[in-house]
Amino acid sequence: MADPCEPFEAAMRLLGRRWTGGVVRAMLGGARRFGEIRAHVPGITDAVLTTRLRELCAAGLATREVTAGPPVRVDYRLTPAG
């Protein structure tokens, strides 16, 4: 039998990681580009921000939307679950 607390515990592990709360907070106002998120989270490195965004997208809490054209635009936004 599956543990009913498992999804909650998995979410807390992800959200409890350093910088994740700030990244989520930066996206609360709507879609944001990488540089906008970085500006809202002082001290975060590009590598850590990339990792946190990938983790949030993999968990279904955020989406990554690529718009073609010069220049290519990449937006991140929270999903309803996020």
Side-chain angles (χ1 to χ4, degrees):
M1 184 159 123
D3 181 5
C5 294
E6 189 174 332
F8 175 76
E9 290 171 356
M12 292 309 297
R13 276 193 301 274
L14 175 61
L15 294 174
R17 296 192 70 179
R18 186 168 187 197
W19 304 110
T20 304
V23 172
V24 169
R25 188 184 68 231
M27 292 189 290
L28 284 175
R32 298 270 192 251
R33 295 177 80 172
F34 187 91
E36 293 172 324
I37 297 170
R38 186 180 56 221
H40 278 87
V41 187
I44 194 168
T45 65
D46 288 352
V48 172
L49 179 54
T50 298
T51 301
R52 294 300 175 263
L53 288 169
R54 286 180 182 164
E55 290 170 346
L56 289 168
C57 289
L61 300 177
T63 60
R64 180 180 188 265
E65 182 179 318
V66 179
T67 306
V72 174
R73 181 181 175 98
V74 180
D75 290 308
Y76 296 91
R77 74 177 69 237
L78 292 175
T79 63

